[in-house]
Amino acid sequence: MTDLPASPPLTLLGEEERLFRNSVLEFARAEIAPRVREMDEQARIPPELIGQLFDLGVMAIEIPDAHGGAGGTFFHSVLAVEALSSVDPSVGVLVDVQNTLVINALSRWGGADLQQRCFARLAIDTVGAYALSEAGSGSDAFALATRAAPSGDGFVLNGRKLWITNAREAGLFIVFATVDPDAAYRGITAFVVTRETPGFTVGKKEDKLGIRASSTCELVLEDCAVARENVLGEVGKGYKVAIETLNEGRIGIGAQMIGLAQGALDHAVRYTRERKQFGKAIAEFQGVQFDLARAATELEAARLLVYNAARARDAKQPFLAEAAMCKLFSSEVAERVTSLAVNLFGGYGYVKDYPVEKLYRDAKIGQIYEGTSNLQLQTIAKQLLG
Ligand SMILES: Cc1cc2nc3c(=O)[nH]c(=O)nc-3n(C[C@H](O)[C@H](O)[C@H](O)COP(=O)(O)OP(=O)(O)OC[C@H]3O[C@@H](n4cnc5c(N)ncnc54)[C@H](O)[C@@H]3O)c2cc1C
C-alpha cells in the first residue's frame, strides 16, 4: 500500500488544460498552417499573426489576471508551445521565449514596480527576448563581455549580444551584462532594456538552416543608459537569474521538440496510408508499420519526460535533471522522427512542396539552443555523480 494519493497519468489533461490545448491547436491548424511555407521562405512571422497570438492569450500565459495575463501555469505554456510547434516550430519558439524565459524571469525576479511596467506591455502587444549569448560566450555563458558600468543612478551598457531569438519583433529585452569583469560570474547582472532606449540597436539577422521564420539577431549596446529600477533581481545575481530561468526554459524547448515530432509523425501516418506502391498503401508494409510504431513509442517517452518535468516545476518539486533529460531526449527523438518522415515520403520528402522537409531542418536547433546536448549531459552527470 502506498500513502501517496492516486495520481492521474501524466498525459491525462484536466478539462481546462484540454480545452486550452485544443483551442491553441485549432488556431494553429486554421491560422498558421496555411502560412507556414511562406513564412519559412520569407524568414519572418507576419505582425498580424503575432497580434492574433496576443488575442488568443498565449503571449501572457503565466502573467496574473490582475496584470492582464491569462493567469495560467507553466504546464499551460508547455501545452501551448507543443501545440503550436506541431504546425510551426518557429511560432512555437516565439511563444516559448515570451513565456518560459521572459515572463518567467520577470515573475520570479522582478520587483512589483518592474513587473507592473513590463507585464502591462507584455500582456498586450509587446514581444520579449532574452539576451545572454555573445560571440565569445555560448556554453560558457558566464564568460560574457558586455559591460554595465555604474553611472549616476543607473548603468551604462556596452557590448554585443548574438543569436537573440525574437529580436526583430521584440520591444523588451532581458540583457545580461557584467558590472565587474574581475568578479567573474559574481559580476553578472540582468537588466530590462526596452527597444527605444538610446544606444540600443537590433543588428544583423541570421540566415538559418531551420526555424527560419523565427528571428535570430545580434544586439548592439553603445553607451546604452539603463535606470537602476530596470535591474532584474539583484546586482551581481544575474547568474542566478540566467541559470534558473534556463533550467525551466529548456522544458519549453522539450515541448517544442515533441510538438514538432508529433507534427512529422502525423504527416507520415497520413501519407503512408495514401501513397500506393506495389498495388497497396505503403502503410500496409510491415517494414513501414514498425518504423512508425517505433517513432510513436519514442515520442510517447519524450512527452512523458517533458510533461513530468513541467508538472514537477509547477508542483515546486526538484526538476533540474528532469529538465535536462527532457530536452536532451526530445531533441534527439525529434531529429529521428523527422528523418523517418522524410524517408517515408520518399522523393516527396526531399522537396519543399511537402511539409516534412521543413520539420527535418527545424528539428536540429533543439540540440543546440538553451544549452547544447553536451551541456545537458553535463547537468545530468553532475546530479548523478554529485
Ligand atoms: C537559432 C538560435 C537561437 C538562439 N537564441 C538565443 C537566445 O534567444 N538567447 C541567447 O542568449 N542565446 C541564444 N542562442 C545561443 C545558443 O544558446 C548557443 O548557440 C548555445 O548555447 C551554444 O553556444 P555556442 O554557439 O557558442 O557553441 P559553443 O559553446 O562554442 O559549443 C560548440 C560545441 O562545443 C561543445 N562544448 C562546449 N563546451 C563543452 C563542454 N564543457 N563539454 C563538452 N562539450 C562542450 C558544445 O556542446 C558544442 O557541440 C541561440 C542560438 C541559435 C542558433
Side-chain angles (χ1 to χ4, degrees):
M1 291 290 283
T2 171
D3 57 357
L4 289 174
S7 46
L10 280 175
T11 51
L12 183 69
L13 302 184
E15 176 67 2
E16 190 278 322
E17 289 171 344
R18 198 174 52 77
L19 290 173
F20 173 74
R21 195 267 318 266
N22 290 352
S23 71
V24 180
L25 203 50
E26 265 171 41
F27 172 85
R29 288 176 179 157
E31 302 295 331
I32 302 176
R35 294 156 150 166
V36 170
R37 178 145 184 215
E38 193 186 340
M39 291 196 298
D40 187 54
E41 282 171 358
Q42 296 185 350
R44 67 189 282 269
I45 300 177
E48 56 281 11
L49 179 58
I50 296 175
Q52 287 177 288
L53 293 168
F54 276 98
D55 294 343
L56 185 66
V58 294
M59 294 300 275
I61 296 172
E62 277 191 88
I63 291 182
D65 305 353
H67 287 287
T73 62
F74 187 81
F75 190 68
H76 282 105
S77 297
V78 158
L79 290 176
V81 172
E82 181 188 6
L84 293 167
S85 302
S86 70
V87 174
D88 192 348
S90 288
V91 179
V93 75
L94 175 114
V95 168
D96 176 61
V97 168
Q98 177 88 352
N99 288 286
T100 74
L101 293 182
V102 177
I103 292 170
N104 194 10
L106 287 162
S107 304
R108 211 140 154 205
W109 302 94
D113 166 65
L114 190 59
Q115 281 186 355
Q116 220 267 310
R117 284 187 285 126
C118 295
F119 288 165
R121 295 183 61 180
L122 292 167
I124 293 168
D125 60 4
T126 302
V127 174
Y130 189 88
L132 178 64
S133 303
E134 299 181 2
S137 71
S139 299
D140 189 9
F142 297 155
L144 59 80
T146 297
R147 185 77 217 277
S151 165
D153 63 349
F155 296 85
V156 172
L157 272 56
N158 277 289
R160 282 168 184 262
K161 293 288 170 183
L162 202 62
W163 314 117
I164 307 309
T165 300
N166 290 355
R168 184 176 174 273
E169 301 80 14
L172 189 152
F173 298 75
I174 296 179
V175 176
F176 293 86
T178 179
V179 293
D180 179 3
D182 295 334
Y185 73 92
R186 288 202 177 84
I188 295 171
T189 306
F191 297 88
V192 171
V193 183
T194 54
R195 194 183 188 103
E196 56 277 8
T197 312
F200 178 87
T201 330
V202 175
K204 176 177 163 269
K205 178 168 160 290
E206 304 296 339
D207 188 5
K208 306 195 297 295
L209 169 73
I211 56 162
R212 291 179 57 76
S214 159
S215 66
T216 312
C217 310
E218 186 183 23
L219 306 182
V220 183
L221 299 121
E222 282 172 331
D223 294 332
C224 177
V226 180
R228 180 165 281 273
E229 299 82 69
N230 279 21
V231 171
L232 176 60
E234 287 172 46
V235 173
K237 291 282 170 60
Y239 70 96
K240 265 177 95 72
V241 178
I243 292 179
E244 295 189 14
T245 317
L246 286 169
N247 284 342
E248 303 187 350
R250 60 185 54 129
I251 306 173
I253 301 305
Q256 182 198 29
M257 291 295 121
I258 58 171
L260 189 162
Q262 184 68 59
L265 184 61
D266 291 347
H267 288 304
V269 166
R270 211 173 304 120
Y271 184 79
T272 55
R273 279 179 162 154
E274 283 166 11
R275 174 71 175 171
K276 289 202 169 60
Q277 289 292 283
F278 302 98
K280 49 175 147 174
I282 57 172
E284 288 182 43
F285 297 116
Q286 196 179 54
V288 171
Q289 291 175 1
F290 284 4
D291 276 347
L292 289 170
R294 188 171 298 281
T297 306
E298 286 207 303
L299 176 52
E300 178 73 1
R303 180 172 287 116
L304 289 170
L305 287 177
V306 174
Y307 282 17
N308 186 53
R311 291 202 192 274
R313 186 274 189 193
D314 277 335
K316 300 188 178 11
Q317 295 297 311
F319 62 87
L320 182 60
E322 288 79 356
M325 287 173 181
C326 91
K327 178 179 179 286
L328 173 77
F329 188 68
S330 60
S331 59
E332 290 176 355
V333 167
E335 189 178 41
R336 285 197 287 273
V337 174
T338 53
S339 174
L340 171 67
V342 170
N343 288 347
L344 292 176
F345 271 68
Y348 301 98
Y350 204 66
V351 293
K352 292 181 190 292
D353 295 340
Y354 292 83
V356 291
E357 174 267 350
K358 173 183 176 294
L359 292 172
Y360 181 58
R361 286 187 283 110
D362 289 348
K364 192 67 211 174
I365 192 59
Q367 294 173 43
I368 299 172
Y369 58 15
E370 298 204 26
T372 64
S373 290
N374 275 358
L375 271 285
Q376 307 308 321
L377 289 166
Q378 199 182 70
T379 301
I380 298 162
K382 255 189 214 156
Q383 294 286 302
L384 202 59
L385 302 168

